[in-house]
Each structure stands twice: as C-alpha cells, then as structure tokens.
Amino acid sequence: MKKLLLTMLLASASLLSFAQNSQVSYKGKISGSLFDEKKQALPFANVLLLKVKDSTLTKGVVSDLDGKFNFDQVAVGNESQYIVSVSMVGYKKYFSPKIALSDENLEVKLSTIQLELDTKNLKEVSVTAKKPFIEQRADKLVVNVEGSLVATGNTALEVLQKSPGVSVDNNDNISVKGKQGVLVLMDGKQTYMSQSDLATLLKNMSSDQIEKIEIISNPSARYDAAGKAVINIVTKKNKNYGTNGSISAGFSASFPPVLESGLSNDFSKTETVKPGMMPKYNSSLNLNNRQGKVNTFANLTFSDNQRFNNNVLTRDIGGKIFEQYAVRYNESQNFSYKIGSDYYANKKTTIGFLVNGSAGIWQNNPNTPVINTTYIKHAGSTIPDSSLRTTASSYQTWKNVTLNTNFKHTFDSTGKELTADVDYSIYSNLSRERGMDTRFYKYIDNKETEYALPLNITSHIPNKYNIFALKTDYVHPLAKAKARLEIGAKSSWVRSDNDIQFFQNGLADKGRTNFFIYQENINAAYVNFNKELSKKLSLQAGLRMEHTHSKGESVTLNESRERNYVKLFPSVFLTQTINKNNQLSYSYSRRIERPDYGSLNPFINFLDPYTYQLGNEYLKPQYTNSFELTHSFKQAFVTSVGYSVTTDFMTEVIKNAVNEPLILAKIKKYNNIEGIDPEKITFATRDNIAKFENINANFSFPIPITKWWSSQNNVSVFYNKYSGALLGQNLNTGQWAYNFYTSQNLKLPKELSAEVSMWYNSPNIYGMMQGRAQYAVNAGLQKSFWNKKASLKLNINDLFLTSFWGGKTDFANVKLNIRNRWDSRNARLTFTYKFGNQNVKAARRRSTATEAEQGRVRTGN
C-alpha cells in the first residue's frame, strides 16, 4: 500500500512540476476596485475578463470585501486585448475601455469603477425566474426542492420518494435507477448513520431546510468510493449581505386508511380498525449575519409527529401458515441544529467552524402500544390451531453532534486552491423495550385458550459511535495545457460499542444479551486529471486508492474477525460537444459498498418466538463497475443509458432455522419456549451472492405548454438480474421495471401558483423479494403577500391513498407475502416569512472529512 501511495504522490508531483513550468507565458495581471453609488466598497460583484476579438470569456472572479478584484496569470501576446465586464443585481452593467497587455506592459490597474443604480429595473421588474423542479445536467440530476409547492412541508425522505429514478422500499432502503447501496451526503458531507438512523433523520428533516437534491449515478474519484450512486442533499443558505433570516411553521393532518388488525372471532374475515387523525407540527428558523470579516449562521428546526404503520406478513413454512398482523402507533420529537462561523482572514484565506447535530425521541404511543398477533394454521384451513399475541411498548432516544474545523486558501485567480477539514462525530442512541409481553393460545372448538406462561421481555440497548476523520484537497489549474489537476487524501477512524441487554421476566437473559465492538480505519488518496483535448472534447480521469483495516469482536460470544485490504477505484469521464445543441458524455467508475456495522455482529436477535435476526461476520464488501452514456439536447432534454455489474452482492435473505443446525441449536438453547415448534422458526440475515447486473435508461424532458403552464417529466427504465448460489440453490432471476415522474406548474393571477405531480414505480425485484407497483398523486397551492416576504402554502400528498408497499418471495422453500401501509395521505399548511436585510452573503458550502462512515451505523428504530 505504501509503495502504491508513494507512486500516486510522485505522479501528482510530476504533474505539478509540469504545471508550474507550463505557465511561464501567462504573466499578465489586471486589477481594479469597485464602489457603489455612495462611494462605498462593493463586494460580491461578478467581474468577467473578455477577449476583445470575439468577446469570449477568459476568466471570472467575484470582488472581495473591499470591492477589489484582480486577474492573475493573464496571457500576454499579439492578441492579448481584453475588456472587463462588471455586473450586480440592482446596478447597470459596466464595460471597461479596451486593455492591451504586452511584455512591456504586463500589469494594468484600472481606475476606480463606480457602478450606477439601475432604478428602472428596480421599479419595474416583478417577475423572477423559477427553476424547474427537475433539472438534468451532464453529470447529475438536480431536484430543486426550494420553491416547489408539492415539496413544501414534506420530509426529506418524502421528497426523495418523488425524485426521478429514486425508489424507497418498505424498509426505507434507497435505490437509484434500480441500484441499491446509495451514499447519502448532507452538504457534501457523509452522515455516518445506519440505514435506519438515516431514515429517521430524513423522516424528521423538513423539506423547508433543503435547497436542492443532487443525484449522481456515476461519481468521480474525488468522492468516497462507497455506494453505487451518490445523493447529495444541499441545505438552504442565505445569499445576501447584512443580517437576515426566515421563519416557518407548519401543521399537517393525515388521513389514515382502514388497517388490518387480525382475524375476526369466527375467522371468516379480517378485523379492521380506522385510526383517528394524526397531527404533525414543524417549525424552523434560519439566521445569517455578516459583519466585517466574520460570517455567522444558524439553522434550527423542530418537529413533532404522530404516525402509524400497519404490517401484514404471511409465511408458509412446510405446510404451516403463519399470518402476522401488526399495528403500530408512534410519536416522535426531533430538534436539529447547525451553527457555524466563517472568518475571512484575507481575500484568499478563510477559516471556518461548524457544529451540527440533532436530538430526539421516538416511542410507541403509551396509550396505544404495538399489538402484534400471529395466527398459525394448516395450509387450506381458515381456522387457526394456535396464536401468539405480543404487546410491546418501545422507546428510543438519540443525540449526535459533529464538530468541524475547515480551512480554505485560494492562491490566485486561476483557481489554484487548497482545502482541509477535521471532524469529530459522536453518536449516542438508546433503545428500550419497556415491556414486550407475549401470550400463547390454542383453539379448541373455535375457542381461544391460553396454554403457557406469558413471556415478558424488556431490553436496554445503548449504541455509541465515535468517528474522527480528516481530509485535504488541492486543485491546481494547468492554464496553458487547458487542464486541471486535483489531488487529495483522507483518513477516518471509527469505533462502535453496542451493548445489548435483555431481561426475561425481570432476570438477565444471557441468551439475548450481547456486547459487540467494531473498529475501522480507512486511509484514502486520489488523483483527478481534467484536460480539454480540443474545443469539442474534454477528458477527466481519476484514480482513488482506499486501504481498509477493520475488526469486529463479539465479547459475549468470544468471536472476532479482522480484515485488512487495499483496493483501487478508477474513473473516466469523456465529454463531447457535437454542436451548440447536442452534447455527449461517456463515463466509467468502480465503487465499493462495505457492510454496515450491525450486519457484521454474529449475535442472534430476538423479534418474537418464531422470528429472529442474525448478523453475518463473514459478510464481504461488494464491488460495482458502472458504465454510462448521456446525451443532452439544448441542455434541457437529457437521455442516458447505463450498465453496471456488482460482484459479491449483499442481499437480505430469509432462512428456515431447521436448515441451519448450528443456528437452530443456539436458538433452542436460550429460547426453548413451551409450545413453539423449532422447525417453524425463521430468521433474517444478510448474505453475498455472486452477481447483480443492472441495465438502465433515463429520459428527462421539460414541456413549456403556455406562458403560465409548464411541465417537467422524467422516465426511467431498468432491468435487474440476480445470479449465484443462495440458500443452497442457484438464484437466476431478472425483471424489467420502470418509473416516471411528472409535474405540472401553473402561474395564476393575484400572486397565486399551483403544482400537481405524480410518480409511479412499476413492480420490481430486489434479491429474493418481488415488490408491487406504487404510485401517488400530489397537489399544492401557494399565495404570496407582504411584497413577497411572506407565503402561505397548502399541499396534499398521496391524494388517492395509493403509496403503500407490498412484496412476496417464493425461493428455497421460503414463501412469504408482505403488505405495509402508513399515513402517506396528509394535508399540510405552511407559513413562511423572510425578514431582515436582504444583502447577506452565503455561508460557505463545504464538504467535511466525515463523508463515508456514518452511512453504516445501524442503530435506528
């Protein structure tokens, strides 16, 4: 590994040396100062350097705090004649006289430039451009959440469900174009959370905090190699100068469907229950202040939600039918925060500090605990032989905090830049089962009789994660060669302690108690090289190396497994401009997905007397090679086709314990419950299969129907194929699937606007599981007032109550069918008010060091 890292760094040094030697003829300099109508320095204006010959752009900069700007490394020669253009909202555009550079006149300092107010535009302009909800770019798809009516007041997870090419299943697993294993970033930073914790965060995060979501199906070497695709959630930042902010508050009422709660007394039908209204509240406060060289910002949000979930699970195990009905009512409160400051030491150097985190609770409503009933009967019979009824009351608290220090230095106006981040994250989660009471019944002459002692289980499950990471990135432009070099390095250290404690009837349950420690260190380095090969062809090639050293240890079971490996992750992107309307891009990348921490814990986790969950300490990472071709027409109509193949694909499987003698022996040793047939026990775990293949095509297109009506549309078609040995059999299955998204945006009189959207996911397969179709129709209406400083928005999600999930599997003697419903239909009213000075500069967006590890913490509800 050391030799390989040394080789990469030497190659980078050689390129840097070439860069420095290639810029000797770029030695001109043009500078100046900008002032407003009051002769005060004018910062943050756009300043462009244009060639006189054809008005093409040579360079662009933004004026600093003192209104100054300069262009370094400007070409000097026979055709070195330039014009400086200055523009800023509210001022008339300015063009300088012609500037000529030569060997005798290498530096030109312009006289003071004073911009004039554009009073005509300030008075008359009342129409502002609105970005489309879906915006396809050459390297990514952008979902512009800010300003979307149907996204207002929703959670971040609900917005993802509406995003083109994105699917969210019943376990909150996120997939892009049919590919699971997605790396989710927040403002370019990895969350370091487990899938369940991440889902909890996204469920409690209001869309009002989000500016846009970037979906990158084929990431470059600069990103962590984890995940088949990248989703970057970009939060809102203030963009003006001075002090300003916004406040919002929302109320939502859900309209639940009729739920299946079990079999009726005569077993001829299913009992149902209709929940009452479930209220949800959310509020947020955003503040930003810029004084001198210090910019301070704060984002605070709070939510209080009541939700429900209804699961119906049917299993066929050797001719025995298990029908399981679960109705869950839960409530949660979540407070999240982001507080930071940027110090502009000078026009080239910025130092920043950031603290962000969240704290909250999740619990079953104490007045309505979870009721989980399982009826057991012979195949073909309507009357059960026996049943289990479990009443449970769960409680979970979480708090996490990330401390970040960051540094940025810009060497010159050519884009030479150095950034660095140091992060320390602490995650603390506590799950408690306040009382899981299971009772056992038999049916004689259709009468229910309790036949065994109740099983009462409580638990105390603290999970702690400590993550330390640092990274640095350097960008070096090669002006003469029309190229750019990027190099960087990152190291992260993770330690997780999971001390699972169970108690049965008040006594310590040694069979279910477990202490698991996981430690991991990942060291990475990358090189990216961008080169303009011709006016119509550009290349980006990158190579990332990651060294992983990990150790998982079950203290309770006295079992451990250590891993140490080095892998390379190349990426290549080629962009071809055919003409002014058509552009092609070709891309390839190699990625990795490591098992989440909890999946490596070999302990057997009790769910109910017939259902268990088991980690797999032998679970291997999976590797994906992806290829993609994208065509863009007029930067609006975008078509892409892609192919990816994943080896050692990780998938969740359901196993019959009778086929796993060692596992069955462990279960029987500590869970020998009267009346429970061990041959009918199943457990869920994760396993590797040889190969997963994905073929996909995506088409994004806007349709301007009238001046007041526009439409944005996206269609994705993909084929998933799974092959390899699984559960002692050969799995070889595949299926075509598709999804589409369409939104209709209407501009109405009297400051009204409306939006109607629909998404649809066709039936599809995920490993052993085949899922049913899902779709939903959403609508929103907005009214602006108080000079557009305030707005009132009403939106309704899932108008026709169709966004529920269902799936089934029939493989290796495992047959099951799942139905899952939740309070997807709701109406939400949101009020937003913007206040303060509207001239605050944006807080810097930055990517911190902790970008890949949090996504694998597995501790949520």
Side-chain angles (χ1 to χ4, degrees):
M1 181 199 75
K2 293 181 179 178
K3 291 182 178 179
L4 183 58
L5 178 59
L6 181 60
T7 301
M8 294 176 69
L9 293 176
L10 286 175
S12 304
S14 298
L15 287 170
L16 282 172
S17 176
F18 165 74
Q20 292 168 351
N21 293 332
S22 66
Q23 297 178 11
V24 294
S25 62
Y26 286 72
K27 49 190 177 183
K29 182 177 180 179
I30 299 173
S31 61
S33 300
L34 304 179
F35 294 88
D36 60 16
E37 74 285 358
K38 297 180 180 179
K39 296 184 178 182
Q40 296 179 349
L42 188 64
F44 317 125
N46 295 313
V47 188
L48 307 179
L49 185 63
L50 310 174
K51 289 183 179 180
V52 172
K53 181 180 178 181
D54 52 11
S55 297
T56 57
L57 175 65
T58 299
K59 296 183 179 183
V61 297
V62 176
S63 59
D64 63 17
L65 290 174
D66 300 320
K68 296 179 180 180
F69 66 89
N70 68 79
F71 298 101
D72 294 324
Q73 302 296 323
V74 181
V76 177
N78 295 331
E79 298 182 359
S80 301
Q81 295 184 336
Y82 303 95
I83 291 176
V84 171
S85 167
V86 182
S87 62
M88 189 171 186
V89 175
Y91 293 89
K92 293 180 180 179
K93 201 165 187 178
Y94 169 86
F95 293 95
S96 74
K98 182 170 64 175
I99 304 167
L101 295 178
S102 65
D103 290 333
E104 293 75 27
N105 186 29
L106 291 175
E107 183 174 346
V108 173
K109 187 172 182 179
L110 300 176
S111 57
T112 298
I113 300 171
Q114 184 173 346
L115 297 189
E116 298 180 27
L117 282 173
D118 191 353
T119 55
K120 179 179 179 181
N121 287 339
L122 288 174
K123 292 178 180 178
E124 295 182 359
V125 173
S126 58
V127 179
T128 56
K130 179 183 178 182
K131 292 181 180 179
F133 184 58
I134 306 299
E135 188 177 2
Q136 181 70 59
R137 300 180 186 174
D139 60 339
K140 58 192 169 187
L141 184 142
V142 180
V143 181
N144 291 301
V145 179
E146 188 176 24
S148 170
L149 299 185
V150 297
T152 299
N154 286 310
T155 68
L157 190 65
E158 289 169 336
V159 175
L160 279 177
Q161 287 178 311
K162 300 173 184 178
S163 302
V166 179
S167 300
V168 182
D169 67 14
N170 64 311
N171 293 318
D172 300 322
N173 294 307
I174 301 169
S175 61
V176 173
K177 297 180 181 178
K179 297 182 290 184
Q180 287 191 348
V182 178
L183 175 65
V184 178
L185 308 179
M186 201 76 67
D187 287 328
K189 303 172 293 185
Q190 181 136 5
T191 58
Y192 288 97
M193 294 181 179
S194 68
Q195 180 62 49
S196 53
D197 271 351
L198 178 62
T200 300
L201 172 68
L202 297 178
K203 287 176 182 177
N204 288 284
M205 182 180 184
S206 170
S207 63
D208 296 334
Q209 299 172 249
I210 303 172
E211 177 186 336
K212 61 184 177 180
I213 297 174
E214 299 173 338
I215 302 170
I216 309 168
S217 58
N218 219 3
S220 72
R222 181 163 185 165
Y223 291 93
D224 285 286
K228 296 191 191 75
V230 171
I231 293 178
N232 183 29
I233 299 175
V234 180
T235 57
K236 291 180 180 179
K237 305 291 189 303
N238 292 312
K239 301 177 180 178
N240 303 313
Y241 185 77
T243 299
N244 77 355
S246 65
I247 187 169
S248 68
F251 169 77
S252 173
S254 61
F255 304 92
V258 174
L259 308 179
E260 298 177 70
S261 59
L263 300 177
S264 64
N265 290 333
D266 61 3
F267 311 112
S268 62
K269 63 180 180 178
T270 301
E271 289 283 1
T272 60
V273 60
K274 187 173 179 62
M277 185 188 76
M278 300 246 169
K280 301 172 180 63
Y281 308 89
N282 67 279
S283 59
S284 66
L285 173 65
N286 298 318
L287 293 171
N288 202 97
N289 176 268
R290 179 65 178 266
Q291 299 292 338
K293 293 185 175 184
V294 179
N295 185 69
T296 304
F297 57 92
N299 301 323
L300 310 174
T301 64
F302 176 78
S303 63
D304 187 332
N305 299 311
Q306 291 188 25
R307 300 182 180 277
F308 78 86
N309 189 280
N310 179 211
N311 284 293
V312 180
L313 173 64
T314 303
R315 291 176 286 180
D316 184 342
I317 306 174
K320 280 274 190 176
I321 307 299
F322 292 72
E323 290 186 19
Q324 187 173 21
Y325 300 84
V327 180
R328 299 177 177 87
Y329 297 85
N330 59 69
E331 56 186 34
S332 64
Q333 293 84 38
N334 184 77
F335 173 70
S336 60
Y337 55 91
K338 178 186 292 184
I339 302 172
S341 183
D342 294 325
Y343 173 67
Y344 299 85
N346 53 53
K347 63 181 180 181
K348 292 183 177 181
T349 304
T350 305
I351 302 172
F353 305 93
L354 177 68
V355 180
N356 63 40
S358 65
I361 64 170
W362 177 96
Q363 64 178 334
N364 300 123
N365 190 314
N367 298 321
T368 53
V370 173
I371 300 176
N372 190 331
T373 306
T374 301
Y375 297 92
I376 306 166
K377 58 188 179 181
H378 286 91
S381 173
T382 58
I383 300 175
D385 300 316
S386 59
S387 68
L388 314 173
R389 185 170 297 117
T390 300
T391 303
S393 179
S394 301
Y395 181 83
Q396 179 184 359
T397 63
W398 66 86
K399 55 183 177 181
N400 59 75
V401 60
T402 296
L403 307 176
N404 167 260
T405 300
N406 53 86
F407 169 84
K408 177 181 178 181
H409 179 74
T410 303
F411 294 91
D412 52 42
S413 62
T414 65
K416 189 188 299 184
E417 182 179 278
L418 176 68
T419 59
D421 285 87
V422 179
D423 283 72
Y424 181 64
S425 301
I426 302 173
Y427 285 81
S428 178
N429 301 277
L430 174 62
S431 297
R432 289 180 179 174
E433 191 63 63
R434 293 179 290 198
M436 179 187 289
D437 185 76
T438 302
R439 295 179 177 271
F440 306 88
Y441 302 92
K442 285 186 177 180
Y443 294 86
I444 302 174
D445 297 330
N446 291 351
K447 292 183 179 180
E448 185 179 80
T449 303
E450 191 169 359
Y451 71 91
L453 293 175
L455 176 65
N456 183 268
I457 293 177
T458 58
S459 65
H460 182 270
I461 308 175
N463 297 284
K464 297 180 180 179
Y465 301 84
N466 292 274
I467 303 168
F468 176 73
L470 54 88
K471 75 180 183 77
T472 182
D473 301 281
Y474 175 71
V475 179
H476 192 102
L478 312 173
K480 187 175 182 180
K482 296 183 179 180
R484 185 177 75 253
L485 176 70
E486 301 175 0
I487 61 174
K490 175 186 173 182
S491 291
S492 64
W493 294 264
V494 177
R495 178 186 170 93
S496 70
D497 289 8
N498 300 279
D499 190 3
I500 302 173
Q501 301 176 36
F502 277 90
F503 305 89
Q504 185 178 148
N505 297 324
L507 300 176
D509 188 337
K510 295 182 179 180
R512 301 187 180 101
T513 295
N514 177 52
F515 185 23
F516 182 70
I517 299 174
Y518 184 83
Q519 299 179 80
E520 180 183 81
N521 170 226
I522 299 177
N523 300 300
Y526 76 89
V527 175
N528 252 350
F529 182 71
N530 297 267
K531 167 68 176 174
E532 184 179 321
L533 302 177
S534 67
K535 290 184 178 180
K536 293 188 175 182
L537 194 64
S538 62
L539 170 71
Q540 175 181 298
L543 180 64
R544 187 179 186 91
M545 182 205 69
E546 292 193 353
H547 165 242
T548 304
H549 180 210
S550 65
K551 182 180 180 180
E553 180 183 6
S554 175
V555 179
T556 304
L557 301 179
N558 195 26
E559 296 180 14
S560 66
R561 182 165 177 81
E562 191 168 356
R563 301 182 183 188
N564 197 338
Y565 55 92
V566 177
K567 296 295 181 180
L568 294 177
F569 302 95
S571 62
V572 180
F573 300 84
L574 190 66
T575 303
Q576 179 184 9
T577 301
I578 301 173
N579 52 46
K580 66 177 183 178
N581 291 329
N582 293 277
Q583 186 181 67
L584 283 173
S585 58
Y586 315 81
S587 64
Y588 160 76
S589 68
R590 174 174 165 82
R591 311 283 293 169
I592 184 176
E593 183 179 355
R594 301 174 179 88
D596 64 70
Y597 311 134
S599 292
L600 297 171
N601 187 347
F603 186 72
I604 299 173
N605 187 26
F606 175 90
L607 300 178
D608 68 43
Y610 280 106
T611 312
Y612 295 81
Q613 193 170 32
L614 173 66
N616 180 2
E617 69 268 39
Y618 298 102
L619 192 63
K620 296 182 290 186
Q622 64 183 35
Y623 297 91
T624 301
N625 290 282
S626 298
F627 306 83
E628 192 165 88
L629 169 65
T630 302
H631 172 257
S632 175
F633 177 68
K634 292 187 175 181
Q635 296 294 316
F637 300 87
V638 181
T639 304
S640 67
V641 292
Y643 169 76
S644 69
V645 56
T646 301
T647 55
D648 289 327
F649 178 75
M650 294 182 293
T651 185
E652 185 168 291
V653 296
I654 308 297
K655 295 185 178 183
N656 292 331
V658 70
N659 298 325
E660 303 284 340
L662 295 178
I663 302 302
L664 182 58
K666 289 183 180 180
I667 293 175
K668 291 171 65 176
K669 181 178 180 180
Y670 295 107
N671 299 279
N672 189 16
I673 302 170
E674 180 184 353
I676 300 300
D677 184 354
E679 294 190 358
K680 306 306 179 186
I681 290 174
T682 62
F683 65 90
T685 187
R686 299 190 78 191
D687 214 338
N688 296 103
I689 60 175
K691 188 164 62 174
F692 163 64
E693 295 175 274
N694 169 270
I695 301 172
N696 63 78
N698 188 80
F699 183 38
S700 177
F701 55 101
I703 302 176
I705 300 172
T706 67
K707 290 183 178 179
W708 53 272
W709 180 7
S710 63
S711 174
Q712 180 68 45
N713 309 275
N714 183 275
V715 179
S716 293
V717 180
F718 54 91
Y719 178 77
N720 285 347
K721 182 179 180 181
Y722 303 83
S723 56
L726 185 66
L727 301 181
Q729 296 190 20
N730 184 38
L731 177 67
N732 189 4
T733 182
Q735 180 176 328
W736 283 100
Y738 65 93
N739 56 49
F740 72 83
Y741 175 88
T742 181
S743 67
Q744 313 301 316
N745 302 279
L746 310 174
K747 294 182 180 180
L748 306 175
K750 298 183 179 180
E751 300 294 339
L752 282 170
S753 57
E755 184 176 331
V756 180
S757 69
M758 176 184 177
W759 59 267
Y760 177 87
N761 296 329
S762 74
N764 191 20
I765 58 171
Y766 298 99
M768 294 173 57
M769 185 69 65
Q770 179 164 3
R772 66 175 292 278
Q774 287 180 275
Y775 69 95
V777 176
N778 313 291
L781 183 67
Q782 173 179 288
K783 168 68 176 178
S784 298
F785 48 95
W786 295 345
N787 294 323
K788 295 187 178 180
K789 288 187 175 182
S791 65
L792 192 63
K793 303 174 184 179
L794 172 67
N795 62 291
I796 303 176
N797 288 322
D798 197 8
L799 276 167
F800 304 108
L801 202 57
T802 53
S803 179
F804 61 93
W805 191 89
K808 62 180 180 180
T809 185
D810 186 355
F811 180 77
N813 297 320
V814 176
K815 298 180 181 180
L816 60 88
N817 194 297
I818 305 172
R819 298 191 301 276
N820 187 8
R821 307 202 72 154
W822 57 92
D823 52 334
S824 58
R825 182 170 62 185
N826 59 76
R828 183 179 295 272
L829 189 65
T830 304
F831 171 78
T832 303
Y833 178 69
K834 299 177 182 179
F835 58 87
N837 193 316
Q838 298 299 303
N839 296 308
V840 178
K841 179 176 170 56
R844 290 187 300 129
R845 287 196 184 94
R846 49 189 174 268
S847 170
T848 70
T850 51
E851 291 193 348
E853 293 74 16
Q854 295 181 34
R856 295 162 51 224
V857 178
R858 191 179 180 87
T859 61
N861 52 279

